[in-house]
Amino acid sequence: MSPWTDSEAALLQDLLRRSLADAHGSQANRPQADAPQAVLCLCAEWCGVCREFRAAFEAAQADHPEWLFRWVDVEDDAEQLDELDIETFPTLVLGSATRTVFAGPVLPQAGALERHLRLLTA
C-alpha cells in the first residue's frame, strides 16, 4: 500500500513529467536533456539532514549523467507541491514521464541512494 493518496501520487507523477519536459527544453541542462528517467529529491533548505545529504545527491548526479537529477526545495516550489504531505526529509521520487518507480523517504546516506537508483535500471 502506497503512503501517498491517489491525488498525491498523481502530483508526484506530474512533477516527474514536468521536470523531464523542462530539462528537455533547457539548454543549461543539456547533458541530461534527453534523460528518460528522473531522480527528484524533495527537501527543505532549513533541514540540516537535507543539507548534509545534498553532497551525496550531487555525487550520484555526477555518476549518472544519463538521468535527470533535480533538487526540489518544497518551500521554493510550494505552489506546485501544496497538496503533498511530506512527513520525512529527504524524500526521493524516481521514475519516468509515465511511471513512478519509487516515491518515499530515504536514509540520508550515499549507499541508500545508490540502492534506490538501482530501481531505475531494474
Side-chain angles (χ1 to χ4, degrees):
M1 182 171 171
S2 171
W4 307 101
T5 66
D6 289 346
S7 64
E8 288 175 323
L11 181 64
L12 291 169
Q13 182 59 56
D14 188 55
L15 183 60
L16 280 167
R17 183 191 54 75
R18 283 186 286 118
S19 294
L20 286 161
D22 289 350
H24 187 69
S26 169
Q27 294 299 318
N29 197 14
R30 222 47 204 148
Q32 298 178 347
D34 297 320
Q37 301 197 69
V39 180
L40 311 179
C41 184
L42 308 181
C43 58
E45 181 58 36
W46 53 261
C47 175
V49 173
C50 290
R51 287 193 307 270
E52 290 177 18
F53 181 63
R54 192 164 194 161
F57 187 80
E58 290 174 351
Q61 179 178 8
D63 290 343
H64 300 283
E66 69 277 18
W67 299 326
L68 169 72
F69 281 73
R70 182 172 171 220
W71 189 261
V72 181
D73 189 305
V74 297
E75 291 182 343
D76 291 346
D77 293 311
E79 194 171 294
Q80 294 178 8
L81 304 174
D82 189 39
E83 295 178 33
L84 281 180
D85 185 19
I86 301 171
E87 296 180 9
T88 305
F89 294 110
T91 291
L92 289 183
V93 182
L94 288 72
S96 68
T98 59
R99 184 174 84 114
T100 302
V101 176
F102 174 83
V106 295
L107 291 173
Q109 302 166 344
L113 175 58
E114 283 297 325
R115 282 189 298 279
H116 281 85
L117 292 177
R118 286 189 208 119
L119 292 171
L120 289 175
T121 58

